[in-house]
Amino acid sequence: MSARSVVDSLIAFFAMIACLAALGRVFDVALARPPTGVYAPPPPEPMGERDAELAVVARAGADRRPVAGAAVRVFHERGGRYYDAGSARTDASGRALLRGLPRGAAWVIVDADGFARVSITLVLSGDARAAEVSLEPAVALAVEVRDEEQRPLAGATVLVSAADPLPFGALTGNDGRVRFTRLGAGPWAVKVSARGYESVTRAGITADTTVELRRLGMLEVRVVTAGGAPVAFADVVITGPALWPARRATTDQRGVALISALLAGSYDLKAEKGELVSDTLLGVPLARGQHQSVTLEVRPGRMVTVVVTDGDGDSPLVVPGADVVLAESGLSSFPRRGRTGADGSLVLGPLAPGPATLAARADDFVPRGGVPVPDVLDGPVRVALLRGGVIEGEVVDSKGVPVDGASIEIIGTDRSGLPVSETPMMMAFRREHFEWALPGPLPLIPAGELGVMPGPVPPIPGALPASDAPEAESPASPRVELAPWVTRFDGTFTAKPVTPGRVRALVRHPSYVEATSDAVSLAPGGHAKVRVVLLSGGALEGTVVDERDRPVEGARVELSAVEGTLERSTLTASDGSFAFAAVPAEITLSVARPEEPTRAVIRRALEVSEGQRATVRLALPPLRGAVKVVVTSEEREPVDAAQVTLLSLDPDSPFRQTQFTTADGTQSFDDAAGLPLRVVVEAPGWARIALTTERADETIELALKHGVLVEGRVTGVRGRELLSGASVTLVADGLRKSALTDAEGRYVLRDVTPGPARLIVSHLDHATAETTVRIEATGRADRAFELPDVDLAEPATVEGEVLDGAGKPVTGARVAVGVVPAYLPAGALPPGLAVTDASGRFKLTDVAPGALTIEAYAVDVGRGEARAVQVDAGHAVTGLVIRLAPTGADDEPASSGGVAVTLGERGEGTSLEVVIVQVAEGSEAERAGLREGDVILRIDGAQPEDMRDARRRLAGPLGADVLLELERDEVTLRERVNREPVRR
């Protein structure tokens, strides 16, 4: 499964039972009934071979006697969903035999009267399998629900969960009580909710408990004109983290709207009537059960005319039926939506004073956002869309046989560096959501119950047929139906429209390991072909045990592919077992304790042979002791609110945690003692400090030194002009500190850590300057370290073209002074980079004078440079030609995350070294302290063979750490870097 864990799937799977409870049938155990009712759909056809056989023996845990009459249910996992695959009851010997089961990962649940429910996971194949389960006596729990006045609440929903991922649920009776009689051993988590009250969740419950629910709050919103007159029948819209989508209420004759039944939190409010509109009131706080009054003042707003066109140009075609969104301040709580008519235009508003942006999408085009709305409107605002491309492909298995029924997702980055993740379902979801939201915010129920709303809910992909979609009046023509991106009988597929950029086809099929195509560069309206080979993969079964070799139930196991984007997770069953089917050859397993499922405590690299079943036994380490970090000043005074980060330097123990010290300067980190750690401490007014220990003691003490106050001056015209508004950035040890110069050209940077640093100075009217400096402590916190003046030259420009080896123009090549990065974080290009147009031409601006090296790089084409290009201040260099030569060594792994560094090789054979040539600005690599010139010795404990192998090991699941062992200035050090979305 994906990161949408098995817990979510199983809870959704049993949603029908919760519905039955809501209709009045209180249930105690989800599977307590005989397996005759329809609780889940059967597996979809075709399922392939259904020749698996499973024998389950149920025994009592205490005396090992067989348990007769136990209900055994088998649920088959396919595509992240669970289906009813078969059921049986145990006979007098405690044995149940199930035949004709589908092959693949299965979840087996055993339930018997007087015993707690038990679950196991395994992989079924054509062979007969046998499993034995131990049933423990059931435990009872009573829950009482009361309101703030200690009166019993009838009809409250109570959900109880423990290590078993399936919850137990019931409704309280007239006495506000409910009793569960068939739970497994505690502790339990209890969640209670009731209409008109806040939901409450309590963990660590070990005995009968009472839960008190608080009533919800209310806002009284008064709408007035600038003169203070009440505005009757004005619309008031409200939204917030606890209330989505936005709701609408109408003021009465007094200009007042009452909005009740609100959860505690913060809310955004806005009012409008006709062309009158108020500013958006952001973050109105509301405490539990509080009644609060607010006032909104309306005044005339702006009406924005929008025209959507097919590309740029002097006479472009207009795009009818385009969906347009107008958002205040770029990100609005109350965006305005509309659809263009036959002339490609529409009018949106009223818009309150202030910045605003437009976004648009249309069939066969790529969505576009961030188009600014001018402060003064002197005509229509134009939004130009790019046409999407087409990717055709072929999917086959390892024998070259076409694979039909495989689903396709397009991933990568667009031409602006933003992530691309597209499927027809997501496109349809965005379209249906727009249709649903087009009429505006939903009205509030007059009674104020926000738990129920009239009209359709936000659409869920695949949940409703097209005929059930909400209708909205629109001048647009009928929508173009999106063909599914699924392979046909001959294994071919067509995906369109696809966002232009650097993209891949990600192919999934239940019977195979997901795979990705090679990356292709897709131009607007362009066409590309790919071929993908799917492997059947292997099966993996395992067991998680504790330090005493006892099975651990409810441990979270996450599987991620070393190559590719495959990520799945599951929870261990009652016997500590877990199973995965269709497993790729090289994987990483991460295991988290049941009580802390978001933090992995062990990580293992495994290999699973194609078509084989592998088994693994993973032992959780004993719970380590806590590490107490004590942060003081040099005078031994405690430092409050210091940020303390602990990073494990053991590749098999991925510990990363950040906390802040309390008033006594201390903070405790559980389960960290004995690990090799890097401890990093930062605090306002102090220099950053880092400590490395090979074995963490119970107490770590660090004394902070005052940060250095750094001052300097920026000038122009060889020192004759003091430049105000210049941007100054100092990069030291992974930290960036920035400031703007004042009217005298001076800047101040505080809390700088002493040592080497990089100073970058830029100004709109001058060339950017970059220099290396060394910051020295002055001995006093109020005495500044003075940097030499930085004099900015008049900017120059460099223009030219980039050609490939055959002399043809290269589109989309990146060009810069010095080294062009091969890998960047997903997002906008950093300053100083230019991109060639369709004719291969580029223009670099704000270039500093000197004899410079201009480099160009294009994916799949190569790298080239022009050396000793003489650039004079205020002049333009034109006609520069850069020819690219293939490099071929720095491959692009198909993984969700990576490290934004450019690599190089030095030496050959056994003496070959992989060197970091460039670290992307603002990346996680820069924040971790990686530097140009660092030699990579090991990646997660493994020595890279060459640059290609290093790049493969740096890639991996998004957000997962990678541990690097580096050599810098003949000193070996270790750094843990968080993977992030990167693009080549």
Side-chain angles (χ1 to χ4, degrees):
M1 296 181 64
S2 67
R4 296 169 299 190
S5 69
V6 64
V7 179
D8 297 330
S9 298
L10 289 172
I11 290 176
F13 176 72
F14 287 97
M16 179 178 291
I17 302 173
C19 294
L20 293 175
L23 293 174
R25 183 178 69 85
V26 176
F27 63 94
D28 191 0
V29 179
L31 291 177
R33 302 284 181 178
T36 55
V38 180
Y39 293 99
E45 299 295 342
M47 282 302 303
E49 296 180 280
R50 297 195 57 157
D51 56 357
E53 180 178 305
L54 174 64
V56 178
V57 177
R59 297 186 182 275
D63 52 15
R64 307 294 298 159
R65 61 180 172 83
V67 178
V72 180
R73 297 287 300 273
V74 178
F75 299 100
H76 172 75
E77 188 273 328
R78 180 176 182 181
R81 297 177 180 271
Y82 281 82
Y83 299 89
D84 189 350
S87 62
R89 285 195 178 274
T90 57
D91 56 20
S93 65
R95 185 173 183 268
L97 181 63
L98 297 98
R99 292 189 175 95
L101 300 175
R103 297 185 180 188
W107 194 291
V108 183
I109 298 174
V110 182
D111 189 24
D113 291 338
F115 294 93
R117 187 176 59 210
V118 173
S119 61
I120 60 174
T121 58
L122 41 78
V123 175
L124 299 177
S125 62
D127 302 328
R129 295 293 305 272
E132 182 175 305
V133 297
S134 178
L135 301 179
E136 300 296 333
V139 181
L141 172 69
V143 179
E144 184 175 0
V145 183
R146 295 183 175 274
D147 63 13
E148 294 170 288
E149 299 175 357
Q150 297 304 306
R151 294 177 301 189
L153 277 179
T157 300
V158 182
L159 294 177
V160 178
S161 59
D164 192 326
L166 301 183
F168 299 79
L171 300 178
T172 57
N174 293 330
D175 59 353
R177 294 176 58 85
V178 65
R179 182 174 176 81
F180 299 88
T181 60
R182 306 178 69 178
L183 300 178
W188 307 284
V190 176
K191 181 177 181 180
V192 182
S193 58
R195 180 174 297 177
Y197 294 83
E198 291 189 16
S199 297
V200 171
T201 299
R202 290 184 180 175
I205 301 298
T206 57
D208 295 350
T209 186
T210 299
V211 179
E212 179 182 304
L213 300 186
R214 298 171 179 260
R215 289 191 178 274
L216 300 170
M218 183 178 72
L219 285 174
E220 179 181 332
V221 184
R222 186 177 300 275
V223 180
V224 299
T225 64
V231 181
F233 309 114
D235 285 334
V236 176
V237 286
I238 178 174
T239 191
L243 177 61
W244 184 92
R247 307 296 172 87
R248 170 172 48 86
T250 303
T251 59
D252 57 20
Q253 295 284 359
R254 302 171 298 145
V256 175
L258 296 177
I259 304 176
S260 60
L262 293 173
L263 291 168
S266 62
Y267 294 90
D268 298 345
L269 294 158
K270 187 174 184 176
E272 61 183 56
K273 183 179 181 181
E275 294 191 5
L276 297 177
V277 64
S278 73
D279 291 330
T280 300
L281 190 59
L282 300 173
V284 177
L286 187 68
R288 291 186 179 93
Q290 181 186 11
H291 291 189
Q292 185 172 330
S293 298
V294 296
T295 300
L296 298 176
E297 180 183 303
V298 295
R299 57 186 182 276
R302 297 176 292 166
M303 304 303 292
V304 181
T305 301
V306 185
V307 176
V308 181
T309 62
D310 181 355
D312 293 309
D314 296 333
S315 301
L317 299 174
V318 297
V319 180
D323 299 335
V324 182
V325 178
L326 173 64
E328 298 169 301
S329 302
L331 183 64
S332 174
S333 301
F334 310 108
R336 300 183 180 277
R337 300 172 174 87
R339 184 166 290 147
T340 58
D343 61 352
S345 70
L346 80 159
V347 178
L348 294 174
L351 179 66
T357 57
L358 288 163
R361 64 159 302 280
D363 294 331
D364 297 326
F365 291 86
V366 177
R368 181 183 178 186
V371 178
V373 176
D375 293 334
V376 178
L377 296 170
D378 55 1
V381 181
R382 178 175 166 185
V383 181
L385 300 181
L386 293 177
R387 284 198 172 270
V390 178
I391 292 183
E392 293 184 345
E394 178 188 16
V395 180
V396 298
D397 64 13
S398 58
K399 299 179 181 179
V401 178
V403 176
D404 69 309
S407 61
I408 313 298
E409 179 181 353
I410 302 300
I411 60 174
T413 53
D414 66 12
R415 287 155 51 104
S416 301
L418 298 177
V420 171
S421 179
E422 296 176 339
T423 65
M425 179 179 288
M426 290 306 301
M427 293 179 180
F429 173 76
R430 289 192 290 265
R431 176 190 293 178
E432 295 297 330
H433 182 270
F434 186 92
E435 296 279 359
W436 167 82
L438 190 59
L442 298 168
L444 286 163
I445 296 293
E449 285 292 351
L450 299 184
V452 180
M453 60 183 178
V457 298
I460 299 173
L464 294 175
S467 59
D468 292 335
E471 297 182 358
E473 294 183 3
S474 170
S477 57
R479 315 299 282 170
V480 176
E481 289 298 323
L482 291 172
W485 296 354
V486 178
T487 55
R488 298 176 279 267
F489 287 108
D490 60 354
T492 62
F493 69 88
T494 301
K496 65 177 183 179
V498 175
T499 299
R502 184 78 175 163
V503 294
R504 301 172 183 268
L506 172 59
V507 184
R508 297 186 177 96
H509 191 283
S511 301
Y512 298 89
V513 178
E514 70 177 43
T516 57
S517 70
D518 292 334
V520 295
S521 296
L522 190 66
H527 184 276
K529 291 187 176 182
V530 297
R531 189 174 189 268
V532 181
V533 178
L534 295 182
L535 301 177
S536 298
L540 177 65
E541 294 183 359
T543 305
V544 177
V545 297
D546 61 15
E547 68 276 12
R548 298 182 182 178
D549 206 36
R550 297 175 302 186
V552 178
E553 180 182 8
R556 182 172 179 269
V557 183
E558 184 172 289
L559 178 150
S560 57
V562 173
E563 295 187 21
T565 62
L566 176 66
E567 296 179 37
R568 297 190 216 157
S569 64
T570 188
L571 296 179
T572 55
S574 305
D575 61 348
S577 64
F578 65 90
F580 294 100
V583 176
E586 293 183 272
I587 60 170
T588 299
L589 285 180
S590 301
V591 185
R593 302 183 194 275
E595 59 271 18
E596 198 173 359
T598 59
R599 185 175 70 84
V601 293
I602 58 173
R603 182 173 291 161
R604 295 287 186 274
L606 297 173
E607 294 185 2
V608 181
S609 300
E610 173 76 8
Q612 301 296 315
R613 177 186 291 126
T615 59
V616 62
R617 190 176 183 86
L618 301 172
L620 295 178
L623 192 64
R624 307 179 187 91
V627 171
K628 180 181 179 181
V629 179
V630 181
V631 182
T632 65
S633 66
E634 292 180 284
E635 296 79 19
R636 310 303 298 173
E637 294 292 329
V639 178
D640 186 18
Q643 177 181 293
V644 184
T645 301
L646 267 59
L647 302 170
S648 168
L649 301 180
D650 181 354
D652 293 332
S653 301
F655 186 94
R656 173 191 281 266
Q657 193 170 355
T658 298
Q659 297 190 71
F660 291 85
T661 57
T662 56
D664 62 354
T666 66
Q667 186 53 262
S668 181
F669 294 80
D670 294 332
D671 201 21
L675 283 174
L677 293 177
R678 177 175 172 83
V679 186
V680 182
V681 182
E682 302 174 50
W686 306 91
R688 183 188 195 189
I689 186 173
L691 170 71
T692 298
T693 175
E694 292 300 324
R695 182 178 176 83
D697 296 327
E698 293 181 357
T699 302
I700 298 177
E701 298 184 5
L702 299 102
L704 299 184
K705 296 182 179 180
H706 287 284
V708 180
L709 183 67
V710 176
E711 295 184 0
R713 190 175 66 165
V714 180
T715 63
V717 197
R718 292 173 294 280
R720 294 195 297 270
E721 181 183 358
L722 302 178
L723 296 182
S724 64
S727 174
V728 181
T729 301
L730 188 73
V731 184
D733 196 26
L735 291 179
R736 284 181 165 254
K737 293 188 177 294
S738 301
L740 295 176
T741 56
D742 59 18
E744 297 180 352
R746 297 198 63 81
Y747 62 87
V748 178
L749 299 169
R750 303 181 185 278
D751 307 336
V752 178
T753 303
R758 189 161 50 98
L759 187 68
I760 306 166
V761 184
S762 60
H763 189 275
L764 290 175
D765 301 324
H766 296 76
T768 299
E770 183 174 336
T771 183
T772 300
V773 297
R774 185 173 187 85
I775 308 300
E776 303 286 352
T778 62
R780 286 180 51 180
D782 59 348
R783 181 183 298 167
F785 178 76
E786 191 76 20
L787 286 175
D789 289 356
V790 177
D791 188 69
L792 299 184
E794 188 178 354
T797 60
V798 177
E799 299 182 45
E801 61 180 339
V802 178
L803 307 177
D804 62 14
K808 296 181 179 180
V810 179
T811 302
R814 297 199 288 262
V815 186
V817 176
V819 177
V820 176
Y823 284 84
L824 290 168
L829 288 175
L833 277 177
V835 178
T836 57
D837 61 16
S839 302
R841 302 198 61 81
F842 69 89
K843 181 177 182 180
L844 290 170
T845 59
D846 302 331
V847 179
L852 309 176
T853 296
I854 310 298
E855 189 176 82
Y857 170 75
V859 180
D860 296 334
V861 182
R863 192 178 290 269
E865 64 182 13
R867 297 186 178 182
V869 178
Q870 185 59 45
V871 178
D872 297 324
H875 291 75
V877 175
T878 59
L880 188 66
V881 177
I882 302 177
R883 293 184 179 271
L884 304 186
T887 54
D890 200 8
D891 286 345
E892 181 177 1
S895 298
S896 58
V899 180
V901 294
T902 301
L903 302 178
E905 293 179 345
R906 186 167 60 197
E908 58 183 16
T910 58
S911 62
L912 184 142
E913 295 178 331
V914 178
V915 184
I916 296 178
V917 177
Q918 196 268 350
V919 180
E921 293 184 7
S923 65
E924 291 291 338
E926 184 186 71
R927 281 187 280 274
L930 302 190
R931 298 182 190 173
E932 298 173 9
D934 287 346
V935 178
I936 300 179
L937 302 179
R938 288 177 179 80
I939 303 173
D940 280 337
Q943 180 178 353
E945 299 176 359
D946 50 24
M947 189 168 66
R948 179 182 286 107
D949 184 47
R951 177 59 63 189
R952 183 179 68 89
R953 295 180 183 277
L954 289 176
L958 186 64
D961 288 343
V962 58
L963 181 64
L964 302 182
E965 185 175 333
L966 308 168
E967 181 182 300
R968 179 186 300 162
D969 300 329
E970 300 183 352
V971 176
T972 300
L973 64 153
R974 286 173 289 178
E975 300 285 357
R976 187 171 283 277
V977 185
N978 197 27
R979 291 186 177 101
E980 62 184 322
V982 297
R983 61 188 178 108
R984 191 179 178 192

